[in-house]
Amino acid sequence: MRPVFLQVGILDRASGSAYYEAGNTKLVAAVCGPHAVTQREGDWERALLEVSFRRAGWSSHGIGEEGRVSKRDPGHYGEIADAAQFEQDGVLGSGDSTTHNDMEREAGLFLSRALESVLLLRQYPGAQIDVSVLVLEEDGSTTSAAVTVAALACADAGLDMVDLLVGSTVALRRDESGGRQASTEPDMEGERQAVDGLLVLAWQPSLCRIANLRWQGGVEDAREEDGSSGVAAAEAFSTALEAAISAGAAMYQAVRLSLEEAAQ
Amino acid sequence: MFTAPSATTRSLPSPAPLVLPGDAIHAPEVNTLRGHGTRQSAHDRASTLRATQAGVVERINKLVTVRALRGRYVPEVGDVVVGRVTQVQISSRRWRVDVQARQDAALLLSAIPLPGGVQRRRTPEDELNMRAVYAERDLISAEVQEVKADGTMMLHTRIQGRLGRLRQRGVLVAVCPAHIRRSTRHVVSLGYAGMAAVLGVNGYVWVYVESEATALDGGEDEEQEMAAEMPTDAAVGGVTAPSRPQALALCRVRNAILALDVSCFSISVESIRAVCRWSEAVPPADMLQPAFLERLQAQLAASA
């Protein structure tokens, strides 16, 4: 597992904020609120939670390209075809618009679900809470990093939470002897090599509950012809889940340290 | 020196244990009142009490609460607050006031004393003249009249002289609301260089020049919370700029308040005056430097 750096309270104007860095994956989260709601819709009994997950156009290498983004590589901006698209997408660009936006939307939904499981939104009726995550640079395990950093920013903002959240990613692949190997917090290359499965977990560390989970099973297991494919797939999943939970526990220690340091 | 802060306010970033959301809090099953910042699972009566905020556990008799380290102002009826007008809503006959809380507070047209002082119905002319009373970006002191179920605060400024627009020569300081205790007097004379302050419970403090006296008061001034000269604009015609000694004293008081806030110390007349006196060797600009803050915290710890 890569060493991780967390810092809380980096933005003065936001109610709460946090920064996450592990390897070349760098994210910033900011929480604004609770503040008066701008649009009246939905349930007045609880706060409206607006989650935004965005990747900066320079954050990744582009879809489908090989190789890792190194610190010295200036990287590519998202493709800006012409002035009309620039007007629509802004300087962040869009890259391959469908894939790029799909990933953001999916990650945003994942994050939103996870946060809703810990935030006590009924404490803030009629208000709105904005949580924004910006991916500055991406090198694998981005969604789980977003979970960790967003929950940290919410804690920094003093929102009522049932528990903190930690995110972890586990990539499963076969090594030379055919055994299954789990690597936690893989980088981009590690994610690509995860032929046996990729698990993204949002975990509540004190209450030991799963807040959200996404599992992409391995291709190999699906091909077995006798009835053992189900067993193999279940084994793969439980291996990955165990590794993810212990990685989450380790991440929780880092989260606690960063909040305690901020309190001094 | 000055009275030590009560048990409900931390005097320093203390070694008191910090809890994070989800941490278990030790409390007996029965005989415990679960207060703000704590939660027991609604489904499982036997479950442990857990914190919902990052903060310090406080126990007062049977009440267990978690006081958040950073939190917005939570209003209660009767609080005196200082706020800045953000909007004049003539159609809804109210002003929106920023008080560092979760939502802007509302000051209704019917909640202010009308010029002329007569109790009468509000006429359409009054509505159109709302901006003449309070305009955007004005600072006012008001009292919380009502707190609605959804957290909206209704203010009023019906006490002549004590509440209303703040127009004296002064400066606004924003601090954490937890550091200002509720007390009977919020408009206080600091007894230092002719300064006075309105200590808004919401964390906004208006420091202003009360009188022409710029000499330091002697130590014999034992009256701790004298009623100050009225901060609102009754008698002041135009507002003149403060003289240089007054401006320096204003800066010193402002920085003293900020230093107390950063050190998580209770902000009161006594503590402000003490910090001002301790800091006299240092120019006001240096009062927020780490070197001075460390010495200050040591002195606060020693005298607490």
Side-chain angles (χ1 to χ4, degrees):
Chain A
M1 189 169 144
R2 318 185 265 193
V4 67
F5 172 74
L6 296 167
Q7 177 86 42
V8 161
I10 52 163
L11 301 174
D12 277 341
R13 294 277 176 126
S15 308
S17 55
Y19 173 73
Y20 172 109
E21 180 175 325
N24 279 330
T25 298
K26 297 167 183 144
L27 289 85
V28 172
V31 171
C32 182
H35 59 89
V37 63
T38 47
Q39 313 160 22
R40 288 172 173 256
E41 61 179 66
D43 191 358
W44 266 104
E45 297 284 314
R46 58 197 281 263
L48 183 67
L49 179 68
E50 290 279 335
V51 171
S52 144
F53 178 92
R54 289 221 62 176
R55 294 191 307 183
W58 63 82
S59 63
S60 66
H61 222 70
I63 313 298
E65 283 197 40
E66 297 293 271
R68 295 174 49 183
V69 179
S70 74
K71 280 196 171 158
R72 294 199 172 36
D73 182 353
H76 295 274
Y77 284 82
E79 289 172 24
I80 300 174
D82 66 352
Q85 190 178 348
F86 180 84
E87 194 178 351
Q88 183 186 337
D89 295 323
V91 70
L92 295 182
S94 68
D96 179 342
S97 56
T98 43
T99 321
H100 203 100
N101 290 345
D102 279 348
M103 183 270 179
E104 288 183 356
R105 204 176 312 130
E106 197 190 331
L109 271 173
F110 186 91
L111 180 59
S112 177
R113 273 279 142 85
L115 284 175
E116 281 173 357
S117 76
V118 287
L119 288 174
L120 288 164
L121 296 175
R122 283 184 193 268
Q123 305 276 27
Y124 311 103
Q128 179 174 328
I129 299 174
D130 302 316
V131 178
S132 328
V133 175
L134 177 66
V135 180
L136 297 169
E137 197 178 336
E138 177 170 22
D139 193 18
S141 309
T142 315
T143 312
S144 59
V147 168
T148 309
V149 76
L152 203 49
C154 288
D156 185 43
L159 297 176
D160 268 352
M161 298 167 75
V162 165
D163 194 359
L164 289 168
L165 275 180
V166 286
S168 47
T169 304
V170 171
L172 285 184
R173 61 188 171 83
R174 304 264 176 186
D175 57 18
E176 297 75 29
S177 59
R180 205 171 263 124
Q181 193 178 63
S183 68
T184 51
E185 304 297 311
D187 55 17
M188 198 73 99
E189 193 53 37
E191 281 188 0
R192 253 181 233 122
Q193 288 174 357
V195 288
D196 251 13
L198 186 69
L199 176 72
V200 180
L201 173 73
W203 173 250
Q204 295 179 2
S206 292
L207 301 176
C208 292
R209 294 201 297 225
I210 296 177
N212 205 351
L213 183 148
R214 187 176 73 217
W215 163 250
Q216 288 160 250
V219 174
E220 298 298 321
D221 295 324
R223 286 216 202 108
E224 312 222 358
E225 303 201 342
D226 53 2
S228 64
S229 65
V231 173
E235 276 176 11
F237 176 72
S238 59
T239 312
L241 188 59
E242 277 179 44
I245 292 176
S246 41
M251 183 70 77
Y252 182 50
Q253 298 310 312
V255 165
R256 288 197 71 98
L257 263 178
S258 68
L259 281 172
E260 282 164 9
E261 271 173 16
Q264 298 311 322
Chain B
M1 266 285 197
F2 55 91
T3 53
S6 67
T8 54
T9 305
R10 271 191 313 155
S11 51
L12 275 184
S14 61
L18 180 74
V19 288
L20 298 182
D23 286 353
I25 301 173
H26 298 290
E29 275 284 323
V30 293
N31 246 9
T32 303
L33 288 173
R34 295 172 279 279
H36 173 71
T38 63
R39 188 167 184 272
Q40 191 164 32
S41 169
H43 307 290
D44 182 7
R45 290 272 168 260
S47 68
T48 52
L49 191 64
R50 292 186 181 268
T52 61
Q53 298 259 338
V56 180
V57 178
E58 285 181 343
R59 300 166 200 271
I60 307 165
N61 293 335
K62 298 178 192 171
L63 178 66
V64 178
T65 62
V66 176
R67 188 166 55 84
L69 300 164
R70 213 220 276 211
R72 295 193 180 219
Y73 162 60
V74 177
E76 285 180 29
V77 176
D79 284 349
V80 172
V81 299
V82 172
R84 197 181 280 280
V85 176
T86 58
Q87 275 187 309
V88 182
Q89 293 176 332
I90 294 184
S91 52
S92 355
R93 291 184 289 281
R94 67 183 62 192
W95 291 269
R96 287 243 158 251
V97 184
D98 161 42
V99 290
Q100 227 180 197
R102 289 174 188 158
Q103 299 186 36
D104 282 353
L107 175 63
L108 297 182
L109 178 58
S110 50
I112 66 162
L114 287 177
V118 195
Q119 285 279 33
R120 57 180 168 81
R121 286 188 66 132
R122 271 60 180 165
T123 62
E125 284 81 31
D126 291 325
E127 292 176 20
L128 292 173
N129 289 337
M130 279 177 70
R131 238 180 217 96
V133 182
Y134 302 127
E136 285 91 345
R137 297 195 54 79
D138 276 353
L139 279 173
I140 62 168
S141 65
E143 192 175 313
V144 177
Q145 185 175 34
E146 185 190 343
V147 180
K148 294 210 167 134
D150 61 358
T152 324
M153 263 184 284
M154 317 298 284
L155 305 174
H156 77 89
T157 58
R158 283 188 184 285
I159 304 175
Q160 282 287 12
R162 266 216 292 138
L163 304 178
R165 177 147 55 144
L166 300 169
R167 265 212 287 181
Q168 226 77 347
R169 293 157 287 184
V171 65
L172 182 73
V173 191
V175 298
C176 173
H179 299 146
I180 299 188
R181 279 179 289 157
R182 292 181 165 92
S183 76
T184 49
R185 280 245 169 77
H186 288 275
V187 181
V188 291
S189 179
L190 293 175
Y192 180 85
M195 295 291 134
V198 182
L199 300 170
V201 182
N202 61 325
Y204 280 165
V205 178
W206 172 251
V207 185
Y208 61 101
V209 179
E210 177 186 14
S211 63
E212 294 310 315
T214 54
L216 302 170
D217 288 333
E220 311 88 51
D221 184 15
E222 285 303 324
E223 297 172 62
Q224 295 185 341
E225 292 189 358
M226 305 185 326
E229 184 183 294
M230 298 310 160
T232 54
D233 58 353
V236 177
V239 181
T240 56
S243 64
R244 187 169 167 78
Q246 285 175 341
L248 278 175
L250 264 180
C251 292
R252 190 174 291 282
V253 174
R254 172 199 180 262
N255 285 352
I257 295 174
L258 283 176
L260 286 168
D261 186 43
V262 162
S263 314
C264 291
F265 207 83
S266 162
I267 296 172
S268 65
V269 178
E270 301 92 347
S271 55
I272 298 174
R273 205 188 299 160
V275 175
C276 286
R277 294 222 171 105
W278 284 336
S279 70
E280 265 154 26
V282 173
D286 289 343
M287 281 171 71
L288 298 176
Q289 299 296 320
F292 176 76
L293 285 176
E294 280 168 20
R295 291 202 322 261
L296 175 68
Q297 285 167 9
Q299 269 186 303
L300 288 171
S303 54

